[in-house]
Amino acid sequence: LNKKQIIEDNSNLQNIFNEWLENQKANSGLIQFEWKKLRIYKDVILPLGIDTNINDVTIDDIKKVLNAKSKEAPSTAKKLFNYLENILSYAISHNYLKSNVLSNVDKYHILENKPQRAKNHPQITNQEYFKELVNSIYSYDKNLTVRNALKLVLNVPLRAENLSKLRWDYIDFDNKLLTIPRAEMKAKNSNYPDFKMPLSDEVIKILENQKEYFLKSEWVFSKLTNIKENIDYQVLNNALIKMGFNDEKIGKKIRLHGMRGTFMSWINTLDIDNKFTFEVKEAALDHHTGEDTVKAYTNKSDYTKQLKPLMDFWSDYILSLLNGVKNEF
């Protein structure tokens, strides 16, 4: 077949979508793959018409289907734009499409909903307030589990979900290492290794103390009323509110999500000699940025050894702020 015949015989949307989707299997986790398959088919392919020749699809057609989705789910519409752009590129490269109508088109010129500025979680960057936070957490006497959970997230900047669902199986006391399976992390891309975090002596003490009372639970931090269920992280946020950390106007408000930003702000402030690289600091937060094709190669780096001195440094700094608080276990 010549190029013209290929275009005429194989260019309906359903055929091209099926081919592209098959190509995606190797680059997507199962959940992500199924999500792509369902959403693109229902929100793009069906509205445009499965038997429609891809060469007949106009930019106005694309605007119509994406804006319909954008009204109910803006973030999904943005993803669909990216996937559709990729499908058109695939069609070009396989001689199914004569020209890509999305070439050099900004998605925000297509979508009616404009990008919203992300609201950062409140952080505590004032030294006086941060010292007060550390002392308030370490002296919290209402509940052992709440105190230990807050002490842990102060020393190890885990996401709230990972903190509340932390399992004893993830803790290697002998090697002082925390390992959370990749499927449990926010970035679930199977190209990335499991999240590994070296644990400082202080963190080991916190966990040993918790273990003494709650080892019978699979969860490190179980519910206060039922050790068979993990703690609701809102309980920890409520404790922070009761401690008085709820005034955003003066920079004295924080929740579990803000612990991560607070950690990064203080590390950047304290690391005046640049002992810790940007990559290591990002690894502590399990941040993954960049294009998927690049991330597949660049995010296999193991920063476990480099993280050890960073986390020891951070725990030492936290302990240096204790002001007459008895750090006993």
Side-chain angles (χ1 to χ4, degrees):
L1 292 176
N2 60 36
K3 183 175 179 179
K4 183 177 180 181
Q5 288 174 306
I6 291 175
I7 290 175
E8 289 176 347
D9 294 344
N10 298 285
S11 293
N12 72 65
L13 279 176
Q14 183 67 69
N15 287 344
I16 295 170
F17 173 59
N18 288 342
E19 278 192 32
W20 175 83
L21 199 63
E22 190 67 27
N23 185 261
Q24 290 289 300
K25 276 187 178 179
N27 302 319
S28 304
L30 180 60
I31 295 176
Q32 184 187 31
F33 176 78
E34 292 298 330
W35 187 93
K36 283 182 186 179
K37 181 179 179 181
L38 178 65
R39 288 272 59 87
I40 299 172
Y41 181 73
K42 281 192 171 183
D43 297 327
V44 178
I45 303 301
L46 278 181
L48 288 175
I50 59 175
D51 293 325
T52 299
N53 188 298
I54 197 170
N55 289 279
D56 295 331
V57 175
T58 68
I59 198 160
D60 286 335
D61 294 329
I62 294 172
K63 278 184 180 180
K64 185 177 179 180
V65 296
L66 292 184
N67 278 315
K69 191 64 183 178
S70 184
K71 289 174 183 176
E72 63 174 80
S75 61
T76 299
K78 294 173 195 173
K79 291 179 182 177
L80 290 174
F81 177 93
N82 295 335
Y83 294 142
L84 187 53
E85 190 176 37
N86 196 278
I87 291 170
L88 295 180
S89 176
Y90 175 87
I92 286 277
S93 66
H94 288 75
N95 294 326
Y96 298 145
L97 181 63
K98 299 171 185 176
S99 62
N100 186 346
V101 295
L102 291 183
S103 292
N104 302 315
V105 173
D106 189 308
K107 73 178 72 174
Y108 297 115
H109 295 159
I110 292 285
L111 302 173
E112 290 178 359
N113 287 343
K114 302 301 179 186
Q116 297 181 344
R117 182 176 294 178
K119 180 174 172 58
N120 293 326
H121 298 292
Q123 305 171 16
I124 292 184
T125 56
N126 175 283
Q127 188 171 32
E128 179 186 345
Y129 295 152
F130 185 65
K131 184 174 181 179
E132 185 181 340
L133 174 68
V134 171
N135 281 270
S136 295
I137 288 175
Y138 269 78
S139 62
Y140 187 78
D141 60 0
K142 304 298 181 185
N143 184 279
L144 175 71
T145 291
V146 170
R147 183 177 72 206
N148 280 339
L150 290 174
K151 285 168 71 172
L152 187 114
V153 77
L154 188 61
N155 283 269
V156 182
L158 296 176
R159 291 184 173 88
E161 190 79 6
N162 294 127
L163 176 70
S164 68
K165 293 185 177 180
L166 198 62
R167 298 173 184 267
W168 288 117
D169 289 347
Y170 300 165
I171 313 295
D172 182 344
F173 283 95
D174 292 334
N175 294 303
K176 298 181 179 180
L177 184 68
L178 165 66
T179 303
I180 301 179
R182 177 49 53 190
E184 298 294 323
M185 301 301 289
K186 182 178 179 180
K188 304 181 188 303
N189 192 320
S190 59
N191 287 311
Y192 307 157
D194 292 339
F195 175 72
K196 293 187 177 183
M197 174 64 79
L199 303 176
S200 66
D201 290 342
E202 172 63 8
V203 172
I204 291 295
K205 288 178 182 178
I206 295 167
L207 291 169
E208 289 281 9
N209 181 240
Q210 187 69 10
K211 180 181 176 184
E212 184 178 346
Y213 299 97
F214 294 96
L215 186 59
K216 290 183 179 179
S217 172
E218 66 177 304
W219 310 103
V220 176
F221 305 112
S222 59
K223 275 190 174 179
L224 309 183
T225 55
N226 183 0
I227 65 170
K228 291 184 179 180
E229 297 181 22
N230 62 287
I231 195 170
D232 182 345
Y233 64 76
Q234 191 56 48
V235 172
L236 306 179
N237 282 333
N238 290 339
L240 291 169
I241 293 172
K242 290 176 182 177
M243 290 177 197
F245 297 95
N246 202 39
D247 193 338
E248 191 166 5
K249 289 183 179 179
I250 64 171
K252 192 184 174 184
K253 177 179 179 178
I254 196 165
R255 300 291 182 268
L256 292 184
H257 291 292
M259 291 287 192
R260 293 163 55 77
T262 299
F263 162 81
M264 184 61 90
S265 293
W266 278 104
I267 286 296
N268 286 333
T269 299
L270 297 168
D271 186 21
I272 55 177
D273 297 325
N274 296 313
K275 293 180 181 178
F276 310 112
T277 66
F278 171 80
E279 288 77 15
V280 172
K281 295 171 188 175
E282 289 287 283
L285 298 173
D286 196 49
H287 278 170
H288 299 272
T289 57
E291 296 297 327
D292 285 342
T293 52
V294 176
K295 288 188 288 186
Y297 296 97
T298 61
N299 283 274
K300 291 184 180 294
S301 302
D302 186 353
Y303 291 104
T304 310
K305 289 183 179 179
Q306 294 96 319
L307 280 168
K308 175 63 175 168
L310 171 63
M311 302 317 296
D312 285 343
F313 172 84
W314 179 235
S315 282
D316 287 345
Y317 178 68
I318 288 171
L319 292 176
S320 75
L321 297 177
L322 291 178
N323 186 23
V325 176
K326 214 170 180 184
N327 184 24
E328 57 185 5
F329 296 92

